[in-house]
mmCIF file with all atom_site columns, all heavy atoms in Angstrom:
data_model
loop_
_atom_site.group_PDB
_atom_site.id
_atom_site.type_symbol
_atom_site.label_atom_id
_atom_site.label_alt_id
_atom_site.label_comp_id
_atom_site.label_asym_id
_atom_site.label_entity_id
_atom_site.label_seq_id
_atom_site.pdbx_PDB_ins_code
_atom_site.Cartn_x
_atom_site.Cartn_y
_atom_site.Cartn_z
_atom_site.occupancy
_atom_site.B_iso_or_equiv
_atom_site.pdbx_formal_charge
_atom_site.auth_seq_id
_atom_site.auth_comp_id
_atom_site.auth_asym_id
_atom_site.auth_atom_id
_atom_site.pdbx_PDB_model_num
ATOM 1   N N   . MET S 1 19 ? 16.877 -10.722 12.557 1.00 65.00 ? 28 MET S N   1
ATOM 2   C CA  . MET S 1 19 ? 16.714 -9.469  11.827 1.00 65.00 ? 28 MET S CA  1
ATOM 3   C C   . MET S 1 19 ? 16.288 -9.716  10.383 1.00 65.00 ? 28 MET S C   1
ATOM 4   O O   . MET S 1 19 ? 15.520 -8.945  9.805  1.00 65.00 ? 28 MET S O   1
ATOM 5   C CB  . MET S 1 19 ? 18.015 -8.664  11.861 1.00 65.00 ? 28 MET S CB  1
ATOM 6   C CG  . MET S 1 19 ? 18.252 -7.953  13.180 1.00 65.00 ? 28 MET S CG  1
ATOM 7   S SD  . MET S 1 19 ? 16.968 -6.716  13.496 1.00 65.00 ? 28 MET S SD  1
ATOM 8   C CE  . MET S 1 19 ? 17.511 -6.058  15.059 1.00 65.00 ? 28 MET S CE  1
ATOM 9   N N   . GLY S 1 20 ? 16.805 -10.789 9.805  1.00 66.00 ? 29 GLY S N   1
ATOM 10  C CA  . GLY S 1 20 ? 16.391 -11.137 8.448  1.00 66.00 ? 29 GLY S CA  1
ATOM 11  C C   . GLY S 1 20 ? 14.905 -11.458 8.398  1.00 66.00 ? 29 GLY S C   1
ATOM 12  O O   . GLY S 1 20 ? 14.197 -11.039 7.482  1.00 66.00 ? 29 GLY S O   1
ATOM 13  N N   . LYS S 1 21 ? 14.431 -12.196 9.406  1.00 73.00 ? 30 LYS S N   1
ATOM 14  C CA  . LYS S 1 21 ? 13.002 -12.513 9.469  1.00 73.00 ? 30 LYS S CA  1
ATOM 15  C C   . LYS S 1 21 ? 12.180 -11.247 9.683  1.00 73.00 ? 30 LYS S C   1
ATOM 16  O O   . LYS S 1 21 ? 11.119 -11.063 9.071  1.00 73.00 ? 30 LYS S O   1
ATOM 17  C CB  . LYS S 1 21 ? 12.741 -13.508 10.600 1.00 73.00 ? 30 LYS S CB  1
ATOM 18  C CG  . LYS S 1 21 ? 13.300 -14.903 10.341 1.00 73.00 ? 30 LYS S CG  1
ATOM 19  C CD  . LYS S 1 21 ? 13.032 -15.835 11.509 1.00 73.00 ? 30 LYS S CD  1
ATOM 20  C CE  . LYS S 1 21 ? 13.608 -17.225 11.245 1.00 73.00 ? 30 LYS S CE  1
ATOM 21  N NZ  . LYS S 1 21 ? 13.407 -18.125 12.412 1.00 73.00 ? 30 LYS S NZ  1
ATOM 22  N N   . PHE S 1 22 ? 12.678 -10.360 10.565 1.00 71.00 ? 31 PHE S N   1
ATOM 23  C CA  . PHE S 1 22 ? 11.978 -9.102  10.827 1.00 71.00 ? 31 PHE S CA  1
ATOM 24  C C   . PHE S 1 22 ? 11.858 -8.274  9.554  1.00 71.00 ? 31 PHE S C   1
ATOM 25  O O   . PHE S 1 22 ? 10.797 -7.732  9.242  1.00 71.00 ? 31 PHE S O   1
ATOM 26  C CB  . PHE S 1 22 ? 12.723 -8.314  11.910 1.00 71.00 ? 31 PHE S CB  1
ATOM 27  C CG  . PHE S 1 22 ? 12.160 -6.943  12.169 1.00 71.00 ? 31 PHE S CG  1
ATOM 28  C CD1 . PHE S 1 22 ? 11.011 -6.783  12.934 1.00 71.00 ? 31 PHE S CD1 1
ATOM 29  C CD2 . PHE S 1 22 ? 12.773 -5.807  11.649 1.00 71.00 ? 31 PHE S CD2 1
ATOM 30  C CE1 . PHE S 1 22 ? 10.478 -5.516  13.160 1.00 71.00 ? 31 PHE S CE1 1
ATOM 31  C CE2 . PHE S 1 22 ? 12.255 -4.545  11.878 1.00 71.00 ? 31 PHE S CE2 1
ATOM 32  C CZ  . PHE S 1 22 ? 11.105 -4.400  12.642 1.00 71.00 ? 31 PHE S CZ  1
ATOM 33  N N   . ALA S 1 23 ? 12.958 -8.189  8.807  1.00 69.00 ? 32 ALA S N   1
ATOM 34  C CA  . ALA S 1 23 ? 12.963 -7.382  7.579  1.00 69.00 ? 32 ALA S CA  1
ATOM 35  C C   . ALA S 1 23 ? 12.025 -7.941  6.527  1.00 69.00 ? 32 ALA S C   1
ATOM 36  O O   . ALA S 1 23 ? 11.560 -7.202  5.652  1.00 69.00 ? 32 ALA S O   1
ATOM 37  C CB  . ALA S 1 23 ? 14.383 -7.303  7.016  1.00 69.00 ? 32 ALA S CB  1
ATOM 38  N N   . ASN S 1 24 ? 11.727 -9.248  6.604  1.00 78.00 ? 33 ASN S N   1
ATOM 39  C CA  . ASN S 1 24 ? 10.867 -9.871  5.603  1.00 78.00 ? 33 ASN S CA  1
ATOM 40  C C   . ASN S 1 24 ? 9.397  -9.889  5.982  1.00 78.00 ? 33 ASN S C   1
ATOM 41  O O   . ASN S 1 24 ? 8.563  -10.341 5.197  1.00 78.00 ? 33 ASN S O   1
ATOM 42  C CB  . ASN S 1 24 ? 11.339 -11.302 5.323  1.00 78.00 ? 33 ASN S CB  1
ATOM 43  C CG  . ASN S 1 24 ? 12.537 -11.332 4.381  1.00 78.00 ? 33 ASN S CG  1
ATOM 44  O OD1 . ASN S 1 24 ? 12.563 -10.612 3.391  1.00 78.00 ? 33 ASN S OD1 1
ATOM 45  N ND2 . ASN S 1 24 ? 13.525 -12.141 4.704  1.00 78.00 ? 33 ASN S ND2 1
ATOM 46  N N   . PHE S 1 25 ? 9.081  -9.406  7.190  1.00 85.00 ? 34 PHE S N   1
ATOM 47  C CA  . PHE S 1 25 ? 7.672  -9.303  7.558  1.00 85.00 ? 34 PHE S CA  1
ATOM 48  C C   . PHE S 1 25 ? 6.964  -8.397  6.543  1.00 85.00 ? 34 PHE S C   1
ATOM 49  O O   . PHE S 1 25 ? 7.485  -7.349  6.159  1.00 85.00 ? 34 PHE S O   1
ATOM 50  C CB  . PHE S 1 25 ? 7.504  -8.725  8.959  1.00 85.00 ? 34 PHE S CB  1
ATOM 51  C CG  . PHE S 1 25 ? 7.834  -9.683  10.068 1.00 85.00 ? 34 PHE S CG  1
ATOM 52  C CD1 . PHE S 1 25 ? 8.227  -9.209  11.305 1.00 85.00 ? 34 PHE S CD1 1
ATOM 53  C CD2 . PHE S 1 25 ? 7.752  -11.049 9.886  1.00 85.00 ? 34 PHE S CD2 1
ATOM 54  C CE1 . PHE S 1 25 ? 8.528  -10.075 12.343 1.00 85.00 ? 34 PHE S CE1 1
ATOM 55  C CE2 . PHE S 1 25 ? 8.056  -11.933 10.908 1.00 85.00 ? 34 PHE S CE2 1
ATOM 56  C CZ  . PHE S 1 25 ? 8.439  -11.440 12.143 1.00 85.00 ? 34 PHE S CZ  1
ATOM 57  N N   . ARG S 1 26 ? 5.793  -8.787  6.126  1.00 90.00 ? 35 ARG S N   1
ATOM 58  C CA  . ARG S 1 26 ? 5.062  -7.993  5.139  1.00 90.00 ? 35 ARG S CA  1
ATOM 59  C C   . ARG S 1 26 ? 4.767  -6.588  5.664  1.00 90.00 ? 35 ARG S C   1
ATOM 60  O O   . ARG S 1 26 ? 4.846  -5.616  4.919  1.00 90.00 ? 35 ARG S O   1
ATOM 61  C CB  . ARG S 1 26 ? 3.768  -8.712  4.756  1.00 90.00 ? 35 ARG S CB  1
ATOM 62  C CG  . ARG S 1 26 ? 4.025  -9.962  3.917  1.00 90.00 ? 35 ARG S CG  1
ATOM 63  C CD  . ARG S 1 26 ? 2.801  -10.858 3.863  1.00 90.00 ? 35 ARG S CD  1
ATOM 64  N NE  . ARG S 1 26 ? 3.035  -11.992 2.959  1.00 90.00 ? 35 ARG S NE  1
ATOM 65  C CZ  . ARG S 1 26 ? 2.344  -13.116 3.002  1.00 90.00 ? 35 ARG S CZ  1
ATOM 66  N NH1 . ARG S 1 26 ? 1.383  -13.265 3.897  1.00 90.00 ? 35 ARG S NH1 1
ATOM 67  N NH2 . ARG S 1 26 ? 2.606  -14.095 2.154  1.00 90.00 ? 35 ARG S NH2 1
ATOM 68  N N   . PHE S 1 27 ? 4.421  -6.495  6.922  1.00 89.00 ? 36 PHE S N   1
ATOM 69  C CA  . PHE S 1 27 ? 4.140  -5.193  7.527  1.00 89.00 ? 36 PHE S CA  1
ATOM 70  C C   . PHE S 1 27 ? 5.366  -4.287  7.443  1.00 89.00 ? 36 PHE S C   1
ATOM 71  O O   . PHE S 1 27 ? 5.263  -3.113  7.069  1.00 89.00 ? 36 PHE S O   1
ATOM 72  C CB  . PHE S 1 27 ? 3.714  -5.385  8.985  1.00 89.00 ? 36 PHE S CB  1
ATOM 73  C CG  . PHE S 1 27 ? 3.537  -4.101  9.743  1.00 89.00 ? 36 PHE S CG  1
ATOM 74  C CD1 . PHE S 1 27 ? 2.342  -3.397  9.675  1.00 89.00 ? 36 PHE S CD1 1
ATOM 75  C CD2 . PHE S 1 27 ? 4.571  -3.580  10.522 1.00 89.00 ? 36 PHE S CD2 1
ATOM 76  C CE1 . PHE S 1 27 ? 2.172  -2.204  10.378 1.00 89.00 ? 36 PHE S CE1 1
ATOM 77  C CE2 . PHE S 1 27 ? 4.413  -2.393  11.214 1.00 89.00 ? 36 PHE S CE2 1
ATOM 78  C CZ  . PHE S 1 27 ? 3.202  -1.704  11.143 1.00 89.00 ? 36 PHE S CZ  1
ATOM 79  N N   . VAL S 1 28 ? 6.529  -4.830  7.787  1.00 84.00 ? 37 VAL S N   1
ATOM 80  C CA  . VAL S 1 28 ? 7.767  -4.037  7.770  1.00 84.00 ? 37 VAL S CA  1
ATOM 81  C C   . VAL S 1 28 ? 8.099  -3.587  6.357  1.00 84.00 ? 37 VAL S C   1
ATOM 82  O O   . VAL S 1 28 ? 8.476  -2.431  6.126  1.00 84.00 ? 37 VAL S O   1
ATOM 83  C CB  . VAL S 1 28 ? 8.929  -4.855  8.372  1.00 84.00 ? 37 VAL S CB  1
ATOM 84  C CG1 . VAL S 1 28 ? 10.251 -4.109  8.226  1.00 84.00 ? 37 VAL S CG1 1
ATOM 85  C CG2 . VAL S 1 28 ? 8.662  -5.152  9.844  1.00 84.00 ? 37 VAL S CG2 1
ATOM 86  N N   . ARG S 1 29 ? 7.956  -4.485  5.400  1.00 87.00 ? 38 ARG S N   1
ATOM 87  C CA  . ARG S 1 29 ? 8.252  -4.111  4.007  1.00 87.00 ? 38 ARG S CA  1
ATOM 88  C C   . ARG S 1 29 ? 7.308  -3.023  3.510  1.00 87.00 ? 38 ARG S C   1
ATOM 89  O O   . ARG S 1 29 ? 7.702  -2.126  2.752  1.00 87.00 ? 38 ARG S O   1
ATOM 90  C CB  . ARG S 1 29 ? 8.171  -5.346  3.112  1.00 87.00 ? 38 ARG S CB  1
ATOM 91  C CG  . ARG S 1 29 ? 9.401  -6.251  3.214  1.00 87.00 ? 38 ARG S CG  1
ATOM 92  C CD  . ARG S 1 29 ? 9.332  -7.380  2.215  1.00 87.00 ? 38 ARG S CD  1
ATOM 93  N NE  . ARG S 1 29 ? 8.429  -8.420  2.648  1.00 87.00 ? 38 ARG S NE  1
ATOM 94  C CZ  . ARG S 1 29 ? 7.713  -9.189  1.841  1.00 87.00 ? 38 ARG S CZ  1
ATOM 95  N NH1 . ARG S 1 29 ? 7.779  -9.007  0.538  1.00 87.00 ? 38 ARG S NH1 1
ATOM 96  N NH2 . ARG S 1 29 ? 6.929  -10.130 2.313  1.00 87.00 ? 38 ARG S NH2 1
ATOM 97  N N   . ALA S 1 30 ? 6.044  -3.082  3.936  1.00 90.00 ? 39 ALA S N   1
ATOM 98  C CA  . ALA S 1 30 ? 5.084  -2.052  3.536  1.00 90.00 ? 39 ALA S CA  1
ATOM 99  C C   . ALA S 1 30 ? 5.418  -0.712  4.185  1.00 90.00 ? 39 ALA S C   1
ATOM 100 O O   . ALA S 1 30 ? 5.300  0.342   3.543  1.00 90.00 ? 39 ALA S O   1
ATOM 101 C CB  . ALA S 1 30 ? 3.666  -2.485  3.919  1.00 90.00 ? 39 ALA S CB  1
ATOM 102 N N   . VAL S 1 31 ? 5.839  -0.731  5.442  1.00 87.00 ? 40 VAL S N   1
ATOM 103 C CA  . VAL S 1 31 ? 6.247  0.505   6.118  1.00 87.00 ? 40 VAL S CA  1
ATOM 104 C C   . VAL S 1 31 ? 7.469  1.110   5.432  1.00 87.00 ? 40 VAL S C   1
ATOM 105 O O   . VAL S 1 31 ? 7.544  2.329   5.219  1.00 87.00 ? 40 VAL S O   1
ATOM 106 C CB  . VAL S 1 31 ? 6.546  0.242   7.608  1.00 87.00 ? 40 VAL S CB  1
ATOM 107 C CG1 . VAL S 1 31 ? 7.180  1.472   8.257  1.00 87.00 ? 40 VAL S CG1 1
ATOM 108 C CG2 . VAL S 1 31 ? 5.273  -0.122  8.359  1.00 87.00 ? 40 VAL S CG2 1
ATOM 109 N N   . MET S 1 32 ? 8.434  0.258   5.081  1.00 83.00 ? 41 MET S N   1
ATOM 110 C CA  . MET S 1 32 ? 9.630  0.740   4.384  1.00 83.00 ? 41 MET S CA  1
ATOM 111 C C   . MET S 1 32 ? 9.258  1.389   3.051  1.00 83.00 ? 41 MET S C   1
ATOM 112 O O   . MET S 1 32 ? 9.756  2.471   2.707  1.00 83.00 ? 41 MET S O   1
ATOM 113 C CB  . MET S 1 32 ? 10.597 -0.426  4.154  1.00 83.00 ? 41 MET S CB  1
ATOM 114 C CG  . MET S 1 32 ? 11.274 -0.925  5.420  1.00 83.00 ? 41 MET S CG  1
ATOM 115 S SD  . MET S 1 32 ? 12.114 -2.526  5.207  1.00 83.00 ? 41 MET S SD  1
ATOM 116 C CE  . MET S 1 32 ? 13.273 -2.131  3.914  1.00 83.00 ? 41 MET S CE  1
#
Side-chain angles (χ1 to χ4, degrees):
M28 283 297 180
K30 291 179 181 177
F31 175 78
N33 281 317
F34 285 155
R35 289 165 175 159
F36 174 84
V37 174
R38 282 186 283 149
V40 171
M41 289 167 59

